[in-house]
Amino acid sequence: MNDKKNYTLPIIVMIFLFGMISFVTNLASPMGDILKFQFNVPNWMGTLGVFANFIAYAVMGYPAGNLLQKFGYKKTALIAISIGFAGVGIQTLSGTMESFGVYLLGAFIAGFSMCLLNTVVNPMLNSLGGGGNKGNQLIQIGGSFNSLCGTAVIILTGILIPEGIKNAQISNVFPLMYAALAIFAFAFLVIALTAIPEKDKEQQVSSESSQYSPLSFRHFILGAIGIFVYVGVEVGIPNVLNKWLQNPDLDVLQLNGMGNPEAIAGSVTATYWLLMLVGRLLGAAIGSKVSAKSMLLVASGLGLVLTLVAMFAPVSSLINLPVFKNDASGLFGLVQVPVSAALLVLIGLCTSVMWGGIFNLAVEGLGKYTEKASGIFMVMVCGGGILPLLQNAIVDMKDGIGYMASYWVIVAGLIYLLYYALIGCKNVNKDIPVN
């Protein structure tokens, strides 16, 4: 028997799980639009699914690292998959029960799973690849598949709602939920039956007795706030965009019966996530030549300009975009959409490189405190639920004009990130010992 183990199948499964993080997370945004009309609730309540998904990070973010350290990759992965299956299962059950509260419970439980998967998938892929360049390559492949799944779920949700968003039901997206359940079940079996290489438990020099922590560093505190803001910006831009484009009362797309507005809105919004994939690939290509500071500076500055122009551009200014129409004329074609929508979609190129830039700047010079800093970062991902909730509250307050007005939240967030890139990232606590 060959002693050299073949990890091809578990590697493929982990890459699929990498995609599932984005698939399940991004499903919450279009689901919010369905919930809004099915249960006749305001926009901010429709966004509670996104909020529940991300607020789970605030609860589970720090303990997730401790769980991984205690149980190792395999057991933690199996726990994460089981919780994910339960969360998506409860969301599916909410469609049968027609219960808003049950859906929110499922979204919250699914958020626990996404947090755990985020914690375990990156290092586990690196380990399965044997570390080094091969391990890094697998992580990049996983990240690319993550972006593709985030793009696909928005498009597919729109295609599955042919009757119009006002008549949509949770049951319309059952096929997507069934697919997620099947992937979770298959992943559980594969991981359970595979011997996964684990890290040796090392005697680590404890920093518990130290008078310092990651929070002793000003640039880290500001960077942690930056992560909170960034995830909120990343999620909030497409979340409100999708609602604005498919709102039947505003008729933003002015299709006059030509094309399915839900499919078109989903397709335009999905382009944002597709451009995030393009941006990540470009960022990886130039990452060795451009500093994290310069990359964050350009990305936040350009994103700020694009947002402001989109907010004040007249809705009557139109541009052709290729979309999934899903109507009698065919599945795919060109449709005129507001220039504002195209500009907001382009911000995906900017947000794609922000996480890496903020993370690298915030942990620079932290030394032995870096691991604890990573746990705090995972907690701050909850910004992805809080800022979109604030945006949608503004949408509700200002009726039709609230959609664009809500992007002042995005403007404020990008201004902060620009400040962090210019000034806040400087390490002013170099006197603290980190070895």
Side-chain angles (χ1 to χ4, degrees), residues 128-402:
L128 289 170
N133 292 338
K134 179 65 175 177
N136 181 59
Q137 182 184 41
L138 289 178
I139 291 174
Q140 296 302 323
I141 293 171
S144 300
F145 191 70
N146 178 277
S147 296
L148 283 175
C149 285
T151 303
V153 72
I154 304 295
I155 295 174
L156 291 172
T157 305
I159 291 175
L160 288 170
I161 309 174
E163 306 89 356
I165 191 65
K166 280 193 171 181
N167 300 312
Q169 302 282 317
I170 296 175
S171 56
N172 286 122
V173 294
F174 273 179
L176 299 182
M177 293 182 172
Y178 293 151
L181 290 172
I183 292 173
F184 278 135
F186 181 70
F188 185 93
L189 289 174
V190 172
I191 299 299
L193 297 174
T194 304
I196 304 296
E198 301 280 357
K199 271 190 176 181
D200 293 331
K201 295 204 172 184
E202 301 172 354
Q203 291 282 335
Q204 297 181 347
V205 179
S206 175
S207 58
E208 293 296 325
S209 59
S210 173
Q211 61 179 309
Y212 301 109
S213 74
L215 298 178
S216 302
F217 297 82
R218 191 196 73 167
H219 74 291
F220 171 74
I221 294 174
L222 295 177
I225 296 171
I227 287 293
F228 176 91
V229 169
Y230 156 69
V231 182
V233 166
E234 179 197 76
V235 175
I237 291 171
N239 180 280
V240 173
L241 173 61
N242 195 50
K243 289 181 171 63
W244 180 56
L245 288 177
Q246 69 178 8
N247 189 300
D249 298 320
L250 298 179
D251 194 23
V252 177
L253 294 172
Q254 300 177 5
L255 297 173
N256 299 317
M258 301 297 292
N260 175 4
E262 284 69 42
I264 293 171
S267 183
V268 173
T269 306
T271 306
Y272 170 91
W273 298 104
L274 185 62
L275 288 179
M276 281 196 68
L277 168 60
V278 174
R280 282 171 177 168
L281 294 175
L282 289 174
I286 66 173
S288 61
K289 301 174 184 177
V290 180
S291 69
K293 180 174 181 175
S294 297
M295 200 175 288
L296 181 60
L297 183 64
V298 171
S300 55
L302 180 58
L304 180 60
V305 171
L306 289 171
T307 305
L308 287 170
V309 175
M311 288 174 66
F312 292 103
V315 180
S316 57
S317 297
L318 304 174
I319 187 172
N320 282 319
L321 283 184
V323 297
F324 287 89
K325 295 169 63 178
N326 195 32
D327 67 355
S329 65
L331 184 64
F332 189 78
L334 290 173
V335 169
Q336 286 192 323
V337 302
V339 168
S340 295
L343 292 172
L344 291 172
V345 161
L346 282 173
I347 303 175
L349 288 171
C350 304
T351 54
S352 64
V353 297
M354 287 182 178
W355 174 281
I358 298 168
F359 184 89
N360 289 336
L361 290 171
V363 301
E364 187 173 349
L366 260 61
K368 65 182 179 180
Y369 302 107
T370 302
E371 287 72 20
K372 285 190 175 181
S374 297
I376 295 172
F377 271 139
M378 198 56 66
V379 172
M380 300 305 284
V381 169
C382 68
I386 295 172
L387 293 191
L389 192 68
L390 176 59
Q391 268 192 274
N392 280 274
I394 294 172
V395 170
D396 290 327
M397 284 192 299
K398 294 183 175 289
D399 296 324
I401 65 170

Side-chain angles (χ1 to χ4, degrees), residues 45 59 85 313:
M45 286 190 70
V59 179
F85 187 91

